[in-house]
Amino acid sequence: MKYLKSILVVTMFIMVLLLMTNCDDNDSNNNKAETARVQLKLVDEPGDYEEVNIEIVDIQYKSNEDEENWESFIPEGGYPINVDITELIAGNSLLLTDDVLPVGILKQVRLVLSDNNTLKIEGQDELIPLDTPSTQQSGLKLNLDEELKTGFVYSFILDWNVQKSIVKAGNSGKYILKPVIKVNAEVSSGSINGKIIEIIEKVETPIANQVVEVYTTEDALVKDTLTDESGDFVLQGLEAGTYILKINKETYKAYVSSEVNVEVGATESVGTIILESEEL
């Protein structure tokens, strides 16, 4: 009889342990099921500068209207994040952060900048300090208002327009940094890529640092980018629709593409574009 009681006690103890383990597993699974992954990618629209060096000391987000309720993303390499945004062309992007967040409405993110930002003008060797207003140091706010759903990955493209972001302060020689950034979600946008070359003595030669512009069918400029050393370019963060590419290069015939259809989540290739000399 005592032997049976001992078996019964041991059996009940094992059942309790299994029940506790299952509860822990269920809690863990529930916690995992209530999160989404958020990525922030920084890209650049070109400007007339050789370098634009930016130092980001914090990237924050909030999920409600409470102005004080900001949480920090934790980038893999930590802070500060130093980047020359003029290098973010031709499909190059900087992954600022890749974090798991609770599901719900992601209302805003903000980039907190230091005052250690500089500018280099083409043809000059020295770096020029970029005056950064205190409002920018306290955080450049970007509105998202995106609903994060369980298990999804959300990639947001932060398209930094460097030309509009730098203001020359009269004849003082000073430059002021006032970032202009447009946010697009990759889940609701597409891309166009291609390559630009010229033929020199029957040899295909890539054209680097060439401006490529994309327009709506109503001839409204949407954005532009630069080719890299291989002549490649990528225009990211485009809303679904129909676009036209335009390329203008001195002493070359102007190039205007046929209509290019962009779909959400897809990259449309226009292939290799050959620029022809006006002398031909």
Side-chain angles (χ1 to χ4, degrees):
M1 191 70 177
K2 291 182 178 180
Y3 179 72
L4 291 175
K5 287 183 177 179
S6 298
I7 292 177
L8 183 59
V9 170
V10 171
T11 302
M12 291 179 64
F13 180 70
I14 292 173
M15 290 177 65
V16 170
L17 285 178
L18 290 173
L19 182 60
M20 291 175 65
T21 300
N22 287 335
C23 288
D24 289 342
D25 288 343
N26 289 336
D27 288 343
S28 177
N29 290 334
N30 287 337
N31 288 336
K32 289 180 181 178
E34 295 177 353
T35 60
R37 196 171 182 179
V38 173
Q39 300 173 335
L40 300 180
K41 299 179 181 179
L42 186 64
V43 300
D44 170 43
E45 289 192 31
D48 298 328
Y49 305 103
E50 189 169 329
E51 294 180 18
V52 178
N53 303 298
I54 303 299
E55 185 173 71
I56 302 169
V57 295
D58 198 5
I59 307 171
Q60 303 173 343
Y61 69 93
K62 71 172 183 174
S63 303
N64 55 48
E65 299 291 348
D66 185 0
E67 185 63 27
E68 302 301 322
N69 192 22
W70 291 91
E71 300 286 343
S72 290
F73 287 100
I74 310 298
E76 183 176 351
Y79 296 109
I81 299 172
N82 292 285
V83 56
D84 174 5
I85 59 175
T86 65
E87 295 180 351
L88 304 180
I89 59 170
N92 292 328
S93 62
L94 175 64
L95 182 62
L96 294 174
T97 188
D98 185 353
D99 274 357
V100 174
L101 302 185
V103 297
I105 302 297
L106 180 60
K107 295 196 68 65
Q108 289 182 319
V109 298
R110 67 179 178 187
L111 305 183
V112 182
L113 309 179
S114 75
D115 58 359
N116 186 31
N117 307 300
T118 58
L119 171 73
K120 187 175 182 181
I121 297 176
E122 190 170 355
Q124 299 183 12
D125 294 329
E126 72 276 7
L127 291 175
I128 302 171
L130 270 173
D131 288 350
T132 309
S134 58
T135 53
Q136 305 301 336
Q137 294 180 47
S138 64
L140 171 65
K141 297 177 184 177
L142 305 171
N143 294 319
L144 300 182
D145 290 320
E146 184 78 27
E147 182 180 1
L148 305 182
K149 297 182 179 180
T150 301
F152 281 75
V153 178
Y154 296 83
S155 294
F156 296 96
I157 299 172
L158 278 55
D159 195 348
W160 193 311
N161 190 321
V162 67
Q163 192 65 35
K164 293 182 179 179
S165 298
I166 297 173
V167 179
K168 187 175 181 180
N171 297 320
S172 65
K174 292 184 177 181
Y175 291 82
I176 302 172
L177 178 62
K178 295 184 176 181
V180 176
I181 299 176
K182 183 173 67 174
V183 183
N184 287 290
E186 278 192 336
V187 71
S188 60
S189 65
S191 304
I192 299 174
N193 69 10
K195 185 182 188 72
I196 301 177
I197 66 170
E198 59 181 328
I199 307 298
I200 301 178
E201 296 180 353
K202 299 183 180 181
V203 177
E204 294 186 355
T205 305
I207 300 177
N209 297 317
Q210 174 61 48
V211 176
V212 183
E213 298 176 324
V214 60
Y215 288 78
T216 66
T217 52
E218 288 76 33
D219 205 33
L221 177 63
V222 177
K223 64 187 308 180
D224 56 17
T225 190
L226 289 175
T227 56
D228 63 13
E229 295 299 320
S230 299
D232 296 317
F233 67 89
V234 180
L235 291 150
Q236 303 180 74
L238 296 171
E239 296 180 359
T242 303
Y243 298 94
I244 295 173
L245 302 184
K246 294 185 180 182
I247 303 170
N248 290 285
K249 182 175 174 62
E250 191 175 354
T251 73
Y252 287 78
K253 296 179 182 178
Y255 171 84
V256 179
S257 75
S258 55
E259 293 184 350
V260 181
N261 294 314
V262 173
E263 297 180 356
V264 169
T267 298
E268 182 69 22
S269 176
V270 296
T272 299
I273 299 170
I274 302 174
L275 294 190
E276 299 180 358
S277 172
E278 291 180 340
E279 297 178 358
L280 297 179

